[in-house]
Amino acid sequence: EAGVTQFPSHSVIEKGQTVTLRCDPISGHDNLYWYRRVMGKEIKFLLHFVKESKQDESGMPNNRFLAERTGGTYSTLKVQPAELEDSGVYFCASSQDGGREQYFGPGTRLTVT
Amino acid sequence: SQQGEEDPQALSIQEGENATMNCSYKTSINNLQWYRQNSGRGLVHLILIRSNEREKHSGRLRVTLDTSKKSSSLLITASRAADTASYFCATDGYRTSGTYKYIFGTGTRLKVLA
């Protein structure tokens, strides 16, 4: 069974540019989560999708971040415009019912210069 | 202290030695997981231990869980230079609005010297 995949693995952009991160969950997993680790701090929850609906987006830092999950399959996380403090590693996770066992992807390392 | 806090924050050992990292949490849990992250790269799942388990082994890894003390430990035996990484514990934390938010600590930075 394929795990959670994320693309790209690493992205380097300039401040003010736009970047879109993609996450493909494990097939059949309705729940999809985004987390991020910035500036060597702890990994923090960003938001949770159930199928195509946003269940909880309380962790989204500001309106420069937009997450979508059209069709309830893969998800994208767009940062527009990117700021220096957005640099970090963005993780995606998926789960079946309940969400208590979340399977994490390898992450996308975002560097904003 | 926050949920999922690891101790120590940094650990430096010689290759071949054992490394022990601890994690404390606050709320009741269903399971606790340990992850490794190498140099800002991806998160690698190491081991999951459920709340009704006390100890679990996987290769050179040994995890213990004490729910009465709300703590867990990760032991890496016969460490190797390749074990150099940051290690995080994550708990399934609380549920709000139908969401389980994994709570991660700040991690333990392990450095294994060759």
Side-chain angles (χ1 to χ4, degrees), chain A residues 52-78:
Chain A
E52 67 275 9
S53 300
K54 292 176 185 176
Q55 185 76 9
D56 184 338
E57 52 183 329
S58 60
M60 295 288 265
N62 51 62
N63 59 10
R64 295 186 294 104
F65 290 76
L66 175 64
E68 294 179 321
R69 193 182 182 196
T70 307
T73 53
Y74 71 91
S75 173
T76 58
L77 179 65
K78 180 188 288 188

mmCIF file of all heavy atoms in Angstrom, chain A residues 52-78:
data_model
loop_
_atom_site.group_PDB
_atom_site.id
_atom_site.type_symbol
_atom_site.label_atom_id
_atom_site.label_comp_id
_atom_site.label_asym_id
_atom_site.label_seq_id
_atom_site.Cartn_x
_atom_site.Cartn_y
_atom_site.Cartn_z
ATOM 1 N N GLU A 52 -13.768 16.518 1.178
ATOM 2 C CA GLU A 52 -13.410 17.814 0.610
ATOM 3 C C GLU A 52 -13.713 18.981 1.539
ATOM 4 O O GLU A 52 -13.419 20.134 1.203
ATOM 5 C CB GLU A 52 -14.133 18.020 -0.724
ATOM 6 C CG GLU A 52 -15.645 18.152 -0.617
ATOM 7 C CD GLU A 52 -16.362 16.815 -0.596
ATOM 8 O OE1 GLU A 52 -15.681 15.768 -0.485
ATOM 9 O OE2 GLU A 52 -17.597 16.810 -0.676
ATOM 10 N N SER A 53 -14.257 18.689 2.713
ATOM 11 C CA SER A 53 -14.664 19.752 3.624
ATOM 12 C C SER A 53 -13.608 20.041 4.685
ATOM 13 O O SER A 53 -13.010 19.123 5.249
ATOM 14 C CB SER A 53 -15.973 19.370 4.321
ATOM 15 O OG SER A 53 -17.000 19.161 3.381
ATOM 16 N N LYS A 54 -13.442 21.308 4.990
ATOM 17 C CA LYS A 54 -12.533 21.701 6.058
ATOM 18 C C LYS A 54 -13.232 21.490 7.399
ATOM 19 O O LYS A 54 -14.230 22.150 7.693
ATOM 20 C CB LYS A 54 -12.129 23.162 5.896
ATOM 21 C CG LYS A 54 -11.259 23.412 4.683
ATOM 22 C CD LYS A 54 -10.953 24.893 4.513
ATOM 23 C CE LYS A 54 -10.184 25.112 3.213
ATOM 24 N NZ LYS A 54 -9.947 26.546 2.939
ATOM 25 N N GLN A 55 -12.707 20.564 8.176
ATOM 26 C CA GLN A 55 -13.299 20.265 9.472
ATOM 27 C C GLN A 55 -12.806 21.231 10.533
ATOM 28 O O GLN A 55 -13.539 21.622 11.434
ATOM 29 C CB GLN A 55 -12.947 18.827 9.867
ATOM 30 C CG GLN A 55 -13.586 18.327 11.143
ATOM 31 C CD GLN A 55 -15.046 17.975 10.960
ATOM 32 O OE1 GLN A 55 -15.552 17.953 9.834
ATOM 33 N NE2 GLN A 55 -15.744 17.719 12.034
ATOM 34 N N ASP A 56 -11.548 21.574 10.418
ATOM 35 C CA ASP A 56 -10.927 22.438 11.418
ATOM 36 C C ASP A 56 -9.746 23.124 10.762
ATOM 37 O O ASP A 56 -8.830 22.468 10.301
ATOM 38 C CB ASP A 56 -10.482 21.598 12.615
ATOM 39 C CG ASP A 56 -9.913 22.438 13.766
ATOM 40 O OD1 ASP A 56 -9.480 23.579 13.539
ATOM 41 O OD2 ASP A 56 -9.899 21.932 14.895
ATOM 42 N N GLU A 57 -9.792 24.428 10.704
ATOM 43 C CA GLU A 57 -8.660 25.161 10.142
ATOM 44 C C GLU A 57 -8.119 26.158 11.145
ATOM 45 O O GLU A 57 -7.554 27.198 10.777
ATOM 46 C CB GLU A 57 -9.026 25.838 8.825
ATOM 47 C CG GLU A 57 -10.272 26.700 8.870
ATOM 48 C CD GLU A 57 -10.594 27.281 7.493
ATOM 49 O OE1 GLU A 57 -9.684 27.536 6.705
ATOM 50 O OE2 GLU A 57 -11.788 27.494 7.229
ATOM 51 N N SER A 58 -8.271 25.839 12.396
ATOM 52 C CA SER A 58 -7.888 26.762 13.459
ATOM 53 C C SER A 58 -6.380 27.007 13.536
ATOM 54 O O SER A 58 -5.942 27.987 14.127
ATOM 55 C CB SER A 58 -8.375 26.235 14.812
ATOM 56 O OG SER A 58 -7.801 24.963 15.076
ATOM 57 N N GLY A 59 -5.591 26.137 12.938
ATOM 58 C CA GLY A 59 -4.149 26.301 13.010
ATOM 59 C C GLY A 59 -3.542 27.089 11.859
ATOM 60 O O GLY A 59 -2.341 27.370 11.852
ATOM 61 N N MET A 60 -4.352 27.466 10.901
ATOM 62 C CA MET A 60 -3.840 28.240 9.768
ATOM 63 C C MET A 60 -3.357 29.598 10.284
ATOM 64 O O MET A 60 -4.110 30.318 10.933
ATOM 65 C CB MET A 60 -4.917 28.408 8.707
ATOM 66 C CG MET A 60 -5.321 27.085 8.078
ATOM 67 S SD MET A 60 -4.039 26.451 7.000
ATOM 68 C CE MET A 60 -4.634 27.094 5.423
ATOM 69 N N PRO A 61 -2.128 29.962 9.973
ATOM 70 C CA PRO A 61 -1.540 31.155 10.587
ATOM 71 C C PRO A 61 -2.155 32.474 10.135
ATOM 72 O O PRO A 61 -2.264 33.408 10.930
ATOM 73 C CB PRO A 61 -0.063 31.069 10.190
ATOM 74 C CG PRO A 61 -0.021 30.165 9.009
ATOM 75 C CD PRO A 61 -1.158 29.236 9.137
ATOM 76 N N ASN A 62 -2.534 32.579 8.876
ATOM 77 C CA ASN A 62 -3.110 33.826 8.384
ATOM 78 C C ASN A 62 -3.708 33.571 6.992
ATOM 79 O O ASN A 62 -3.657 32.448 6.476
ATOM 80 C CB ASN A 62 -2.037 34.919 8.310
ATOM 81 C CG ASN A 62 -0.803 34.463 7.566
ATOM 82 O OD1 ASN A 62 -0.870 34.131 6.381
ATOM 83 N ND2 ASN A 62 0.336 34.416 8.255
ATOM 84 N N ASN A 63 -4.256 34.626 6.412
ATOM 85 C CA ASN A 63 -4.957 34.445 5.142
ATOM 86 C C ASN A 63 -4.035 34.346 3.936
ATOM 87 O O ASN A 63 -4.492 34.315 2.794
ATOM 88 C CB ASN A 63 -5.990 35.559 4.934
ATOM 89 C CG ASN A 63 -5.337 36.936 4.938
ATOM 90 O OD1 ASN A 63 -4.117 37.058 4.906
ATOM 91 N ND2 ASN A 63 -6.151 37.969 4.992
ATOM 92 N N ARG A 64 -2.739 34.289 4.188
ATOM 93 C CA ARG A 64 -1.830 34.029 3.063
ATOM 94 C C ARG A 64 -1.784 32.536 2.731
ATOM 95 O O ARG A 64 -1.224 32.144 1.718
ATOM 96 C CB ARG A 64 -0.420 34.518 3.409
ATOM 97 C CG ARG A 64 -0.321 36.036 3.579
ATOM 98 C CD ARG A 64 1.122 36.495 3.770
ATOM 99 N NE ARG A 64 1.698 36.024 5.023
ATOM 100 C CZ ARG A 64 2.559 35.021 5.108
ATOM 101 N NH1 ARG A 64 2.953 34.375 4.027
ATOM 102 N NH2 ARG A 64 3.054 34.672 6.286
ATOM 103 N N PHE A 65 -2.368 31.761 3.583
ATOM 104 C CA PHE A 65 -2.377 30.303 3.405
ATOM 105 C C PHE A 65 -3.772 29.853 2.969
ATOM 106 O O PHE A 65 -4.769 30.201 3.593
ATOM 107 C CB PHE A 65 -2.011 29.593 4.715
ATOM 108 C CG PHE A 65 -0.575 29.760 5.103
ATOM 109 C CD1 PHE A 65 -0.114 30.942 5.652
ATOM 110 C CD2 PHE A 65 0.327 28.720 4.904
ATOM 111 C CE1 PHE A 65 1.223 31.095 5.994
ATOM 112 C CE2 PHE A 65 1.662 28.850 5.249
ATOM 113 C CZ PHE A 65 2.109 30.051 5.806
ATOM 114 N N LEU A 66 -3.811 29.077 1.889
ATOM 115 C CA LEU A 66 -5.078 28.563 1.390
ATOM 116 C C LEU A 66 -4.936 27.083 1.099
ATOM 117 O O LEU A 66 -4.084 26.673 0.311
ATOM 118 C CB LEU A 66 -5.487 29.301 0.110
ATOM 119 C CG LEU A 66 -6.749 28.767 -0.574
ATOM 120 C CD1 LEU A 66 -7.972 28.941 0.318
ATOM 121 C CD2 LEU A 66 -6.972 29.463 -1.921
ATOM 122 N N ALA A 67 -5.766 26.294 1.746
ATOM 123 C CA ALA A 67 -5.741 24.851 1.528
ATOM 124 C C ALA A 67 -7.018 24.417 0.823
ATOM 125 O O ALA A 67 -8.100 24.931 1.105
ATOM 126 C CB ALA A 67 -5.603 24.106 2.846
ATOM 127 N N GLU A 68 -6.848 23.496 -0.111
ATOM 128 C CA GLU A 68 -7.993 22.969 -0.837
ATOM 129 C C GLU A 68 -7.875 21.467 -0.975
ATOM 130 O O GLU A 68 -6.773 20.927 -0.967
ATOM 131 C CB GLU A 68 -8.082 23.620 -2.236
ATOM 132 C CG GLU A 68 -8.372 25.098 -2.198
ATOM 133 C CD GLU A 68 -8.439 25.721 -3.583
ATOM 134 O OE1 GLU A 68 -7.628 25.344 -4.440
ATOM 135 O OE2 GLU A 68 -9.308 26.584 -3.794
ATOM 136 N N ARG A 69 -9.015 20.849 -1.141
ATOM 137 C CA ARG A 69 -9.033 19.406 -1.373
ATOM 138 C C ARG A 69 -10.234 19.095 -2.272
ATOM 139 O O ARG A 69 -11.219 18.498 -1.840
ATOM 140 C CB ARG A 69 -9.122 18.628 -0.069
ATOM 141 C CG ARG A 69 -8.834 17.139 -0.269
ATOM 142 C CD ARG A 69 -8.979 16.362 1.026
ATOM 143 N NE ARG A 69 -8.653 14.952 0.803
ATOM 144 C CZ ARG A 69 -8.979 13.982 1.647
ATOM 145 N NH1 ARG A 69 -9.635 14.257 2.759
ATOM 146 N NH2 ARG A 69 -8.643 12.724 1.374
ATOM 147 N N THR A 70 -10.107 19.516 -3.491
ATOM 148 C CA THR A 70 -11.161 19.316 -4.458
ATOM 149 C C THR A 70 -11.357 17.836 -4.751
ATOM 150 O O THR A 70 -10.394 17.122 -5.018
ATOM 151 C CB THR A 70 -10.833 20.054 -5.768
ATOM 152 O OG1 THR A 70 -10.548 21.415 -5.456
ATOM 153 C CG2 THR A 70 -11.995 19.986 -6.736
ATOM 154 N N GLY A 71 -12.598 17.395 -4.676
ATOM 155 C CA GLY A 71 -12.876 15.993 -4.968
ATOM 156 C C GLY A 71 -12.555 15.053 -3.834
ATOM 157 O O GLY A 71 -12.749 13.841 -3.953
ATOM 158 N N GLY A 72 -12.043 15.605 -2.763
ATOM 159 C CA GLY A 72 -11.750 14.766 -1.602
ATOM 160 C C GLY A 72 -10.601 13.809 -1.780
ATOM 161 O O GLY A 72 -10.468 12.847 -1.018
ATOM 162 N N THR A 73 -9.737 14.066 -2.762
ATOM 163 C CA THR A 73 -8.580 13.181 -2.937
ATOM 164 C C THR A 73 -7.328 13.899 -2.463
ATOM 165 O O THR A 73 -7.125 14.044 -1.258
ATOM 166 C CB THR A 73 -8.444 12.754 -4.400
ATOM 167 O OG1 THR A 73 -8.427 13.922 -5.235
ATOM 168 C CG2 THR A 73 -9.621 11.867 -4.799
ATOM 169 N N TYR A 74 -6.535 14.414 -3.410
ATOM 170 C CA TYR A 74 -5.316 15.099 -2.997
ATOM 171 C C TYR A 74 -5.650 16.491 -2.479
ATOM 172 O O TYR A 74 -6.753 17.015 -2.713
ATOM 173 C CB TYR A 74 -4.326 15.162 -4.168
ATOM 174 C CG TYR A 74 -4.730 16.089 -5.272
ATOM 175 C CD1 TYR A 74 -4.342 17.425 -5.279
ATOM 176 C CD2 TYR A 74 -5.509 15.629 -6.334
ATOM 177 C CE1 TYR A 74 -4.722 18.270 -6.301
ATOM 178 C CE2 TYR A 74 -5.891 16.465 -7.361
ATOM 179 C CZ TYR A 74 -5.492 17.787 -7.326
ATOM 180 O OH TYR A 74 -5.870 18.617 -8.351
ATOM 181 N N SER A 75 -4.698 17.073 -1.795
ATOM 182 C CA SER A 75 -4.885 18.414 -1.249
ATOM 183 C C SER A 75 -3.714 19.295 -1.662
ATOM 184 O O SER A 75 -2.595 18.803 -1.879
ATOM 185 C CB SER A 75 -4.957 18.360 0.275
ATOM 186 O OG SER A 75 -4.982 19.659 0.841
ATOM 187 N N THR A 76 -3.994 20.580 -1.767
ATOM 188 C CA THR A 76 -2.935 21.555 -2.023
ATOM 189 C C THR A 76 -2.944 22.593 -0.917
ATOM 190 O O THR A 76 -3.995 22.907 -0.345
ATOM 191 C CB THR A 76 -3.113 22.248 -3.383
ATOM 192 O OG1 THR A 76 -4.388 22.889 -3.408
ATOM 193 C CG2 THR A 76 -3.000 21.252 -4.522
ATOM 194 N N LEU A 77 -1.775 23.103 -0.647
ATOM 195 C CA LEU A 77 -1.615 24.191 0.313
ATOM 196 C C LEU A 77 -0.838 25.285 -0.396
ATOM 197 O O LEU A 77 0.320 25.092 -0.767
ATOM 198 C CB LEU A 77 -0.864 23.711 1.558
ATOM 199 C CG LEU A 77 -0.606 24.755 2.646
ATOM 200 C CD1 LEU A 77 -1.919 25.246 3.257
ATOM 201 C CD2 LEU A 77 0.286 24.177 3.759
ATOM 202 N N LYS A 78 -1.497 26.403 -0.587
ATOM 203 C CA LYS A 78 -0.879 27.513 -1.308
ATOM 204 C C LYS A 78 -0.488 28.602 -0.321
ATOM 205 O O LYS A 78 -1.269 28.949 0.576
ATOM 206 C CB LYS A 78 -1.843 28.079 -2.345
ATOM 207 C CG LYS A 78 -1.267 29.252 -3.137
ATOM 208 C CD LYS A 78 -2.319 29.919 -4.019
ATOM 209 C CE LYS A 78 -2.686 29.069 -5.196
ATOM 210 N NZ LYS A 78 -3.568 29.805 -6.146
#
